[in-house]
Amino acid sequence: MLLKLNNFGKFKNKSFEISDFITLFYGANESGKTTIFDSLMYLFSENKKSLGFSKTIKNRYGDEIDVESVPAIDDSIKLHPDSYNNLYAIRQSEIIFNMSDNKKDSKEWESEIKKKLFSSDIDIGKMISEIRAEYNGRAQSSIPYQINLMENKKNNIKEELNILYDKMSNESSKKEKIKELNDKLNFNANLMKNKIKEYDEIFKTFDLKKKAQLKNYKLDLLSLINNFYKKNNFLSENKILQNDYSNEIKSITNNIDELKNKESYLNGKIESLKKNIEERKSIDYNSIKIRIENAIKKIDEVVNKNKKVPKFVFILIVAFISILLSVYFKNAFWLVIILPSLPFLFIKENTNTKIIKDILDTLPELDINNDINDYNYLRDLLNKELAKIELIINSKDNEEIDKYLEELESVKKSCEEENSKLENLLNKLNAKNIEHYYSMKRDYDALYKETSELYNKLMQEAKKNSLKDINMLEADCNRIIKELESIGYDDFNEAEFRGLENQLKGLEKEIELIKENINKIEKEISYTSGELNNFDNIHNTIVNLESDLSKLDDETININKRKKALQLLEDILSNINQKNDNVFESLSNEAKVLYNHITGKNLHDDGITMSGFDKNKIMVLDKQNEKRNIEFLSSATRDAVYIAMRLSILTKIHKQGRLILLDDPFITFDNNRILEALKFIVEYSKDYNIPIVIFTKDVFIRDVLKEFEAVNIHELS
């Protein structure tokens, strides 16, 4: 066969010869091996079943692809693309087996393969399981369940028939019962009539009392509203008292007190200065000054006089001189010189106390103690008094008085202004005095609190009656009072009202109980009358139920017949299923032989066993001769088994003209296993006359196949 790639991927007007034996495409990555692989898949796929595959190819290589073969491939040998991909096309990354035993999940391509293997894609095993489930299962659709259901229905019908038979025998007793029930009904009806009459009479009195209560309540409420208006009007008229002026009043009174204190202080100053002026006028301070100055001079003279040599010192000096002269002249006569000086010792001098007393006697205006005997201390006192007198003589008392008078006038003016301000504020507040304002303020605040509480209470009442404000509440009260004008205020008595209320509640309970009894009696009469009326229908019902019971017996017989038929069908299908098991056994043996050829191993007769297409039904003997699921084998062993299984299926469904496509299927094999596998592939192609196309980048595979004749090798670049 000649493959012509007129426009396919990287190939333009390129042709390749495909051998009827082995064809090898060798080349590195990106050399076009996958492109040639896809072109062959595209040629061998059925057009009507390959829309998805065709779309994938065109997305990969473009919409303008152009590929053909010479001779052209007959439609009869083309397959579903998934069938070709899962059997004839073996890629290095897709050496898997995607077939399943599940009919529900079976794809179209799987059905195609199963029909060729088993002459049908029907899952016989599943059919046998469904048949067994139907005649021996527990599901609602199973025969045992249906038989049990019919038995229950028959038992229910029998019970109902027994009840109906009993009813047919109780007709006379039902008539007596209806008569008795009618007597009870009349008694209860009369009793209820009397209770309702009693209730209506009491309710009239109760309603009158309730209206009196409402009127009293509305009158009290109206009184509260009027009281609120009065208080609110007073608050509005004296709104000025809402603000607290106590701080302002306190500030003014403090200013007045400070000014009055200052006024008293200035008056004291002025009085003192005036007194000093009067005293100066009555006392001759200049004369006192002269006498003090003379006294100070006299003290200074006395002090200076007392600074002379004392008498005993003088005597000592004279004695010392006389002794020196006696010694010098060696004559004791010179000691006589001391004698004339001795009388000097007895001459008396004036004492300090007497002189000080004489000085103070000259100054009677001064308040100085006469007990002083120290001239220096006295002189200091006299100097201080002299300084005071000089200040008095030189003072300007009149100027100070004028200054204080001017300040006093200013203070009085300020005091008058503060008093005027206080008076204006009190007038503004309509208060006689400060105490009166505080009393008014306390009363206003207390009234404001009472009014606020009263307002909140009235607004709650208004909201309770769905009214907007107090005015609407007042209007509502007047309306109700007018409506209840005929009812006197004294008509209401709380104790009497509660007594009537309790009587009404008791009567309501009694009436309710009587109603319940009447309803029960009426229902019982209705039911019993219905039973009497239905006695004619009971016979028909019995006939119908007996007919239904007969039908259920017939259905039970038919279901048992179906059960026997299903058991027979199970035996027939089991024989057919045994043939399918023989096919799987044949596939297992074929796969084992092919696996031994591919790997060079020597598996036992049951080395590979397939009991179905599901992966959990494909088992392989390991080195310890233990059966293991194929998914738990090494990747190389698993790939070899999958290749062997595919080839075993191909031997049974292959049609002349199809190609096996191998894209590096031995990538997980070592060189020894690759060599064994290639020898097997060559033999397999010859034995079954199936052309095989191999794609690889492995130089070892290329070199091995070069040694075989009739192998067509294309090296791509």
Side-chain angles (χ1 to χ4, degrees):
M1 183 183 78
L2 182 65
L3 174 65
K4 298 180 72 175
L5 302 176
N6 302 321
N7 182 20
F8 199 92
K10 65 183 289 184
F11 298 105
K12 304 289 187 295
N13 300 319
K14 183 73 174 176
S15 297
F16 296 100
E17 181 69 29
I18 305 298
S19 170
D20 291 335
F21 176 46
I22 302 292
T23 302
L24 174 68
F25 285 92
Y26 168 78
N29 291 338
E30 305 299 329
S31 61
K33 297 191 301 297
T34 302
T35 304
I36 297 170
F37 188 99
D38 288 343
S39 68
L40 290 170
M41 280 286 295
Y42 184 73
L43 287 173
F44 281 95
S45 296
E46 289 180 297
N47 293 332
K48 64 179 180 179
K49 297 180 181 178
S50 59
L51 294 176
F53 177 71
S54 177
K55 186 177 179 181
T56 302
I57 292 296
K58 288 181 179 180
N59 287 338
R60 187 179 298 170
Y61 299 107
D63 292 332
E64 304 299 326
I65 58 173
D66 184 3
V67 58
E68 58 181 327
S69 64
V70 180
I73 298 170
D74 192 276
D75 289 341
S76 64
I77 65 172
K78 290 184 178 182
L79 285 172
H80 191 289
D82 288 331
S83 296
Y84 214 95
N85 193 44
N86 277 275
L87 289 177
Y88 284 91
I90 302 175
R91 298 176 187 265
Q92 60 178 354
S93 59
E94 296 177 4
I95 306 177
I96 56 177
F97 194 68
N98 283 331
M99 290 182 67
S100 169
D101 294 321
N102 194 333
K103 172 70 175 174
K104 182 178 178 182
D105 297 331
S106 182
K107 309 292 188 304
E108 183 182 356
W109 64 270
E110 289 186 61
S111 297
E112 185 177 62
I113 293 171
K114 289 175 182 178
K115 285 177 182 178
K116 292 178 181 179
L117 284 171
F118 307 114
S119 300
S120 172
D121 65 339
I122 297 172
D123 191 344
I124 303 298
K126 185 177 180 182
M127 286 182 65
I128 293 171
S129 298
E130 290 174 353
I131 289 168
R132 285 176 181 168
E134 185 177 352
Y135 78 76
N136 198 27
R138 296 182 180 179
Q140 292 184 3
S141 59
S142 67
I143 289 174
Y145 181 86
Q146 290 179 20
I147 290 173
N148 186 48
L149 186 64
M150 288 180 185
E151 288 296 328
N152 289 333
K153 286 181 179 179
K154 287 195 288 184
N155 290 332
N156 290 335
I157 290 171
K158 288 175 182 178
E159 288 178 5
E160 195 171 350
L161 283 170
N162 290 331
I163 293 170
L164 292 174
Y165 294 149
D166 291 338
K167 285 181 179 179
M168 290 294 290
S169 63
N170 292 331
E171 183 178 4
S172 59
S173 62
K174 296 293 180 184
K175 290 179 179 180
E176 289 295 328
K177 187 176 181 180
I178 287 176
K179 183 180 179 183
E180 183 182 343
L181 289 171
N182 282 325
D183 292 339
K184 285 184 179 180
L185 183 63
N186 292 330
F187 173 78
N188 280 280
N190 291 328
L191 182 62
M192 191 167 110
K193 184 178 179 181
N194 294 331
K195 292 291 182 182
I196 291 172
K197 184 178 179 181
E198 184 183 356
Y199 181 89
D200 291 340
E201 290 175 356
I202 295 173
F203 184 78
K204 286 178 184 178
T205 307
F206 176 78
D207 187 54
L208 190 65
K209 296 295 181 182
K210 193 172 183 180
K211 288 177 180 178
Q213 181 193 32
L214 179 61
K215 182 179 179 180
N216 293 345
Y217 178 74
K218 293 298 180 181
L219 285 169
D220 292 341
L221 198 59
L222 200 59
S223 176
L224 288 175
I225 292 170
N226 292 331
N227 190 22
F228 168 75
Y229 284 151
K230 288 177 183 178
K231 291 180 178 181
N232 195 48
N233 289 336
F234 178 81
L235 293 176
S236 299
E237 291 170 0
N238 297 276
K239 195 172 183 180
I240 192 169
L241 292 173
Q242 188 173 353
N243 298 323
D244 190 1
Y245 292 92
S246 57
N247 290 334
E248 188 175 348
I249 290 171
K250 188 176 180 181
S251 175
I252 295 171
T253 54
N254 287 340
N255 291 339
I256 291 172
D257 290 341
E258 288 177 4
L259 290 169
K260 284 183 178 180
N261 290 335
K262 193 170 185 181
E263 184 179 348
S264 298
Y265 168 77
L266 292 172
N267 283 327
K269 275 287 186 181
I270 292 168
E271 289 299 323
S272 177
L273 288 172
K274 285 181 179 180
K275 186 177 180 182
N276 289 339
I277 291 170
E278 291 299 324
E279 287 177 354
R280 273 205 306 275
K281 288 180 181 179
S282 61
I283 299 172
D284 188 0
Y285 284 101
N286 288 321
S287 172
I288 296 170
K289 178 183 177 184
I290 292 169
R291 280 181 278 149
I292 291 172
E293 288 174 347
N294 290 334
I296 292 170
K297 286 179 182 179
K298 188 174 180 180
I299 290 168
D300 290 339
E301 288 174 359
V302 172
V303 170
N304 289 329
K305 183 178 178 181
N306 289 340
K307 286 181 180 179
K308 295 178 182 180
V309 177
K311 292 179 182 179
F312 69 90
V313 175
F314 175 73
I315 295 299
L316 289 174
I317 292 170
V318 173
F320 181 71
I321 292 171
S322 64
I323 292 169
L324 285 176
L325 289 173
S326 297
V327 173
Y328 183 73
F329 291 108
K330 299 180 180 179
N331 188 353
F333 179 76
W334 291 98
L335 294 171
V336 179
I337 297 172
I338 197 171
L339 295 175
S341 61
L342 291 173
F344 180 73
L345 290 171
F346 299 101
I347 298 173
K348 291 184 179 181
E349 297 181 0
N350 292 331
T351 62
N352 291 352
T353 304
K354 185 176 181 306
I355 293 170
I356 289 170
K357 186 175 182 304
D358 292 342
I359 291 170
L360 292 176
D361 288 342
T362 62
L363 298 167
E365 296 88 352
L366 301 180
D367 186 16
I368 298 175
N369 192 354
N370 291 330
D371 295 336
I372 297 172
N373 56 11
D374 187 352
Y375 291 117
N376 291 327
Y377 179 67
L378 179 60
R379 183 173 54 201
D380 291 341
L381 290 175
L382 292 175
N383 282 327
K384 289 178 181 179
E385 292 296 330
L386 182 62
K388 289 179 182 179
I389 290 169
E390 286 179 349
L391 284 173
I392 292 170
I393 293 170
N394 297 326
S395 66
K396 298 177 181 180
D397 291 338
N398 290 328
E399 290 181 5
E400 284 190 41
I401 289 171
D402 293 340
K403 179 182 176 183
Y404 284 132
L405 286 171
E406 184 179 351
E407 188 175 355
L408 180 62
E409 188 67 26
S410 175
V411 168
K412 286 181 178 180
K413 187 176 180 181
S414 298
C415 190
E416 288 175 1
E417 289 175 355
E418 291 296 322
N419 279 320
S420 176
K421 190 188 295 184
L422 179 60
E423 185 178 356
N424 291 335
L425 180 58
L426 291 174
N427 290 335
K428 178 183 175 182
L429 298 171
N430 296 321
K432 296 176 182 179
N433 49 45
I434 294 172
E435 289 74 15
H436 186 215
Y437 165 73
Y438 285 133
S439 176
M440 290 170 63
K441 178 62 177 171
R442 283 193 299 272
D443 294 343
Y444 182 89
D445 290 343
L447 185 62
Y448 184 86
K449 184 179 179 181
E450 289 176 13
T451 308
S452 297
E453 291 173 354
L454 185 56
Y455 173 79
N456 292 333
K457 183 177 179 181
L458 292 172
M459 284 303 296
Q460 285 178 359
E461 190 65 30
K463 288 180 180 177
K464 193 191 296 182
N465 291 278
S466 302
L467 300 173
K468 186 177 180 182
D469 51 28
I470 295 174
N471 291 332
M472 293 182 72
L473 180 63
E474 181 185 18
D476 184 65
C477 289
N478 288 325
R479 177 185 61 79
I480 292 172
I481 291 169
K482 189 174 181 181
E483 290 175 358
L484 303 174
E485 192 171 0
S486 60
I487 299 172
Y489 187 83
D490 296 329
D491 288 347
F492 178 74
N493 181 281
E494 183 69 26
E496 186 181 355
F497 178 78
R498 295 301 172 198
L500 291 171
E501 187 177 29
N502 291 331
Q503 286 183 39
L504 288 174
K505 287 181 179 178
L507 285 171
E508 284 175 357
K509 289 181 180 178
E510 288 181 25
I511 291 169
E512 192 64 32
L513 286 172
I514 294 169
K515 281 183 179 179
E516 288 179 4
N517 287 333
I518 289 172
N519 288 333
K520 286 180 181 178
I521 293 168
E522 286 178 345
K523 285 181 180 178
E524 198 169 352
I525 290 171
S526 176
Y527 178 76
T528 308
S529 298
E531 285 182 331
L532 286 172
N533 294 331
N534 289 331
F535 271 117
D536 294 335
N537 299 324
I538 290 175
H539 179 71
N540 295 331
T541 305
I542 291 172
V543 171
N544 292 332
L545 289 174
E546 288 175 346
S547 175
D548 291 340
L549 189 61
S550 178
K551 288 178 182 178
L552 286 172
D553 289 334
D554 293 340
E555 286 182 18
T556 304
I557 293 169
N558 291 332
I559 288 174
N560 284 320
K561 288 180 179 179
R562 176 174 172 77
K563 181 178 180 181
K564 291 179 180 178
L566 288 172
Q567 289 172 339
L568 181 60
L569 180 60
E570 180 189 2
D571 294 337
I572 295 169
L573 290 174
S574 296
N575 293 330
I576 297 172
N577 196 42
Q578 183 62 43
K579 294 179 181 178
N580 290 346
D581 291 340
N582 294 338
V583 173
F584 279 119
E585 185 179 354
S586 174
L587 288 173
S588 299
N589 293 332
E590 190 77 31
K592 182 259 299 182
V593 173
L594 295 173
Y595 175 82
N596 288 340
H597 281 296
I598 292 171
T599 60
K601 292 183 178 181
N602 186 20
L603 286 177
H604 297 295
D605 291 340
D606 57 349
I608 297 175
T609 55
M610 287 178 63
S611 58
F613 291 115
D614 292 333
K615 291 175 182 177
N616 61 352
K617 294 180 180 179
I618 302 172
M619 309 298 289
V620 180
L621 282 178
D622 60 11
K623 293 179 180 179
Q624 288 76 32
N625 285 327
E626 292 182 2
K627 286 189 177 183
R628 296 176 64 190
N629 185 271
I630 189 170
E631 290 298 305
F632 299 107
L633 301 175
S634 66
S635 58
T637 303
R638 184 176 63 248
D639 291 349
V641 172
Y642 279 142
I643 292 171
M645 285 173 56
R646 288 192 180 194
L647 295 177
S648 67
I649 293 172
L650 285 179
T651 59
K652 298 186 181 301
I653 68 169
H654 174 66
K655 258 191 177 182
Q656 190 67 31
R658 293 178 185 150
L659 302 177
I660 293 177
L661 306 178
L662 303 179
D663 182 7
D664 265 336
F666 311 123
I667 195 167
T668 58
F669 291 12
D670 56 28
N671 285 344
N672 290 332
R673 187 172 287 189
I674 289 172
L675 182 59
E676 292 295 329
L678 289 174
K679 289 178 181 178
F680 161 72
I681 291 296
V682 171
E683 292 176 7
Y684 181 85
S685 177
K686 288 179 179 178
D687 293 343
Y688 293 100
N689 195 22
I690 302 176
I692 298 175
V693 181
I694 301 173
F695 300 84
T696 186
K697 61 181 177 181
D698 191 340
V699 66
F700 179 76
I701 293 174
R702 181 200 64 182
D703 293 342
V704 170
L705 290 176
K706 276 184 178 180
E707 297 178 3
F708 291 94
E709 296 179 5
V711 174
N712 192 3
I713 298 176
H714 299 286
E715 296 196 17
L716 305 174
S717 58

